[in-house]
Amino acid sequence: MDYPKSVPSVGLVNGRFVDENPVEGSPGSLIPAMWGNSVTQEILGVIAGADMAPSETDTNQLFKAVQKIIGTTTPTRSVVTRLTLSKALTANELGLVLIDANAGATSIGLPPANVALGVRDVIIRRLDNSGNRLVVQAAGTDRIKFHTHLSAVGYPFLVLMGSGDWWHLRSDGAGSWWPMGRFDNTPLGRPFFETTIQLSPGGYGALNGTVMKRAEWPWLWDHAQQSGMLGTEATREGNEGKWSSGDGAVTFRAPEGRGEFLRILDEGRSVDAGRAMGTFQPGTVHSHALGAQGAGAVGSRWSDSLTGFGANTREEIKIIGDLVNGGPTFPAGTTYQMDPANTLLYSFRSRPRNVAYPARIKLI
């Protein structure tokens, strides 16, 4: 579209319109038919692009057409698509896509991120909290560019987990969908505590050593392989805090944290030297010598060796009481001091007072 520069002798100056000048005797510009038709066709093209029928009586059509076109390309505008079953989205359905997966496992396909689609946005949000698997699948060889620190090419799909979970994606017209925002950006694989037994939306699972399929969680399997704490099922006992390679082909296993205390890895400080990530450590026995049946003051004798008693169990015995020197229940090899009555009452603990919270792990 341009001024009619190529049309001569119609009162134009350098192809631009001018007013009549009676003093100089110069006429005003005439509108060439070609240019008038061209302008009209440009406007009608916008109206047709909005799937609207031209109307001579509606002088507001161009504005309406622009608004409608914007509404189909910007998710913050007016296009809302509601789905309850698996479906491949069309370009006209991109916008705010609301999905209810209560009926069962659901797959939502994205349109090809090609030149024809161009740069388009979509916000995909889950409505239900059923626990059914909800997959957002890229078309063909397209990829969704999330967790590119694990795989530079991205992944062919993502999953929406929990009511309210959402992703904002943008196509680049060259085979990729790029995340512009999401409900929860907590790093993948991070464990944390909750104050509810419900699973929060955003991509979380229980920290319970569950076995998963590599094909269903490819980014998590990549994370496990690159984590430096991947073991095998054969060596899992005592290493339950690690990822495991599962069956070695199809599955893998997440870390187990239920009922355990978590400790910061030493990483060269030499306070807890020699520890590997995710390994189990037996409890340390802390013993206390108390007065025996009232005979002798508290602290009148002590033991320096109870390490052989329950030291390799995960839940240490809390109280040992009324132990008599030489009795069958006294730990062999224990050294001690006695009160005059030659009777000992021993109490020891290896677990401080604590509060139990459910543990969760970020899965996507």
Side-chain angles (χ1 to χ4, degrees), residues 191-314:
F192 70 102
F193 293 116
E194 263 289 7
T195 56
T196 173
I197 60 173
Q198 301 295 322
L199 287 173
S200 299
Y204 295 93
L207 188 63
N208 61 1
T210 188
V211 175
M212 292 177 281
K213 295 180 180 179
R214 300 180 187 184
E216 292 183 351
W217 304 93
W219 51 86
L220 199 58
W221 172 234
D222 285 345
H223 171 80
Q225 293 178 92
Q226 298 176 41
S227 68
M229 51 184 297
L230 176 64
T232 65
E233 284 291 304
T235 60
R236 186 167 180 267
E237 185 175 354
N239 295 283
E240 291 93 337
K242 290 184 175 182
W243 301 89
S244 96
S245 54
D247 65 3
V250 178
T251 67
F252 69 105
R253 188 191 293 270
E256 170 69 88
R258 292 173 296 177
E260 304 285 1
F261 291 103
L262 303 184
R263 184 172 188 172
I264 298 174
L265 189 67
D266 187 281
E267 294 192 279
R269 191 184 177 201
S270 298
V271 173
D272 186 30
R275 292 292 301 282
M277 290 189 295
T279 58
F280 165 73
Q281 184 183 59
T284 302
V285 174
H286 304 279
S287 59
H288 309 276
L290 307 177
Q293 312 297 333
V298 173
S300 62
R301 66 258 180 262
W302 50 271
S303 169
D304 62 7
S305 177
L306 280 177
T307 57
F309 194 91
N312 291 319
T313 63
R314 299 194 179 193

Side-chain angles (χ1 to χ4, degrees), residues 55-101:
S55 172
E56 288 186 80
T57 60
D58 189 347
T59 58
N60 204 31
Q61 270 198 306
L62 181 59
F63 175 76
K64 292 177 183 177
V66 171
Q67 290 290 91
K68 186 175 180 181
I69 291 170
I70 292 174
T72 62
T73 58
T74 305
T76 54
R77 300 293 296 183
S78 59
V79 176
V80 179
T81 302
R82 300 177 185 273
L83 303 175
T84 57
L85 298 173
S86 297
K87 186 184 188 302
L89 293 170
T90 66
N92 288 336
E93 291 172 316
L94 298 182
L96 175 60
V97 181
L98 303 176
I99 310 163
D100 187 331

Side-chain angles (χ1 to χ4, degrees), residues 179-190:
M180 305 303 294
R182 58 177 296 193
F183 177 81
D184 192 317
N185 278 312
T186 301
L188 183 69
R190 177 171 292 180

